[in-house]
Amino acid sequence: RLLDELDNSAKNQTIFNTVMNGYRIEGRGQEAETVLKRMIELADRGYRRCSPNSVSFGVCMEAWGRSKSRLKVHACKELLKQCVSRYQSGDSTCKPNLLHFHALAGAITSIGSQDRVSDVLSLFEKMEEQGIKPNRVTFNILIKTCASVFESEDAKKNALQVAISAFNSLESLGISADSITYTSMANVIKHLVNHPDEKLNAFKGIFMRSCEHGFLNQHIINVMAECTTAEQFQAITGMSSIETVPSIDTFPSEWSAFATVDHTAQARQANHADGTN
């Protein structure tokens, strides 16, 4: 409605991006893309201030990614192609960045296709080929994708290997894990590790590392309590889970000192870390 009330000469990129961001929050991909097309149409008619930039394409992709549409992956792929095409044609404001690849990866993961792990891996490889370096959010998406695999034992085995490789790569790349990383790894252990002893040892490792870095959270505690006996849980944590699962508040505060960070803001900052947005 806001766009309809404004004269074309008064419209600009910021106004369009703001409107699309509203659709992003609501997961209305089709509406966001309609706005993006209006930007392109007006720019082609000479209203250059309405020309879309990398933020425009990224916000539109996120709107599709949050939608319930089964077309979200196709829509995000097409939008990424358009963004890359404009950049390769000389529009420096449409340089692809992490936001675009994360949005597409998120859409792939949420749609639940059988090949989602290999598809996300392939996507991130293409991202690096374009000179875009992965960050913590990239690895968190990949590990979360692996944790969602359940189709077959072979698929679960492959997903476990990918998740472990991704987690172990963080330190060598100078990337620190956060609460989301450890939460996703707890889910990986829960869903993908079958051998009881291996599962127990894996939980010990994740618990100790999350405590060491101050990222223990209630979800990790709940998952461990669900997947271990009361005796095993007490051996790992020093807390009893016989009557009820202990609250995060009963653990030393330094073990969870950084687990309550606003991860939405954190992820947004990471997405825009290359300064293009």
Side-chain angles (χ1 to χ4, degrees):
R1 183 176 177 180
L2 170 66
L3 295 175
D4 293 334
E5 293 175 351
L6 285 175
D7 185 79
N8 287 338
S9 61
K11 296 172 184 175
N12 58 45
Q13 185 184 91
T14 301
I15 293 174
F16 278 105
N17 286 350
T18 300
V19 173
M20 277 198 294
N21 189 55
Y23 289 134
R24 177 192 70 83
I25 294 171
E26 297 176 356
R28 297 168 64 181
Q30 188 66 65
E31 289 87 344
E33 188 165 352
T34 297
V35 174
L36 180 65
K37 289 178 179 179
R38 288 182 67 181
M39 294 179 76
I40 295 172
E41 177 190 355
L42 287 172
D44 289 344
R45 288 168 51 191
Y47 297 98
R48 301 305 301 169
R49 295 204 311 162
C50 297
S51 183
N53 61 0
S54 61
V55 174
S56 310
F57 283 96
V59 170
C60 189
M61 290 175 69
E62 283 193 337
W64 271 112
R66 292 185 177 204
S67 76
K68 297 180 181 179
S69 173
R70 300 295 295 180
L71 300 175
K72 65 169 72 177
V73 173
H74 174 74
C76 285
K77 286 182 177 179
E78 290 301 311
L79 287 166
L80 180 57
K81 285 180 183 178
Q82 290 180 43
C83 187
V84 171
S85 177
R86 293 179 76 90
Y87 177 67
Q88 292 176 341
S89 298
D91 187 346
S92 61
T93 68
C94 286
K95 182 179 181 180
N97 58 52
L98 279 170
L99 174 64
H100 305 105
F101 288 92
H102 289 169
L104 176 51
I108 292 171
T109 299
S110 66
I111 208 72
S113 66
Q114 290 190 356
D115 298 323
R116 55 192 176 281
V117 172
S118 59
D119 287 347
V120 170
L121 265 177
S122 176
L123 175 66
F124 287 152
E125 287 172 357
K126 291 178 181 177
M127 180 185 81
E128 291 192 71
E129 288 172 2
Q130 294 189 29
I132 303 173
K133 294 182 179 181
N135 64 9
R136 181 192 297 121
V137 178
T138 311
F139 284 92
N140 284 349
I141 291 172
L142 179 56
I143 295 171
K144 180 180 178 181
T145 303
C146 293
S148 70
V149 171
F150 59 87
E151 286 81 7
S152 68
E153 288 305 314
D154 286 342
K156 290 168 65 175
K157 183 177 180 180
N158 176 66
L160 177 61
Q161 292 175 340
V162 172
I164 292 173
S165 177
F167 183 74
N168 290 338
S169 297
L170 292 173
E171 187 173 352
S172 63
L173 294 172
I175 300 173
S176 58
D178 65 3
S179 185
I180 296 173
T181 316
Y182 290 115
T183 297
S184 297
M185 283 304 297
N187 288 332
V188 165
I189 297 167
K190 174 183 177 181
H191 297 297
L192 304 182
V193 179
N194 293 325
H195 194 282
D197 291 340
E198 292 179 358
K199 186 184 288 280
L200 183 62
N201 288 331
F203 275 131
K204 285 181 182 178
I206 287 299
F207 177 78
M208 292 178 65
R209 292 186 66 171
S210 64
C211 292
E212 179 184 356
H213 295 102
F215 288 116
L216 181 66
N217 60 57
Q218 190 65 52
H219 180 83
I220 296 173
I221 295 169
N222 292 345
V223 169
M224 288 198 306
E226 179 184 347
C227 298
T228 62
T229 65
E231 183 179 354
Q232 290 171 336
F233 184 88
Q234 186 162 11
I236 296 173
T237 67
M239 298 285 185
S240 174
S241 62
I242 295 178
E243 294 185 1
T244 183
V245 177
S247 166
I248 186 69
D249 296 331
T250 63
F251 290 85
S253 59
E254 60 269 23
W255 291 3
S256 58
F258 305 107
T260 55
V261 171
D262 182 347
H263 292 296
T264 301
Q266 184 184 69
R268 177 67 60 181
Q269 290 172 0
N271 281 338
H272 297 286
D274 64 349
T276 56
N277 296 339

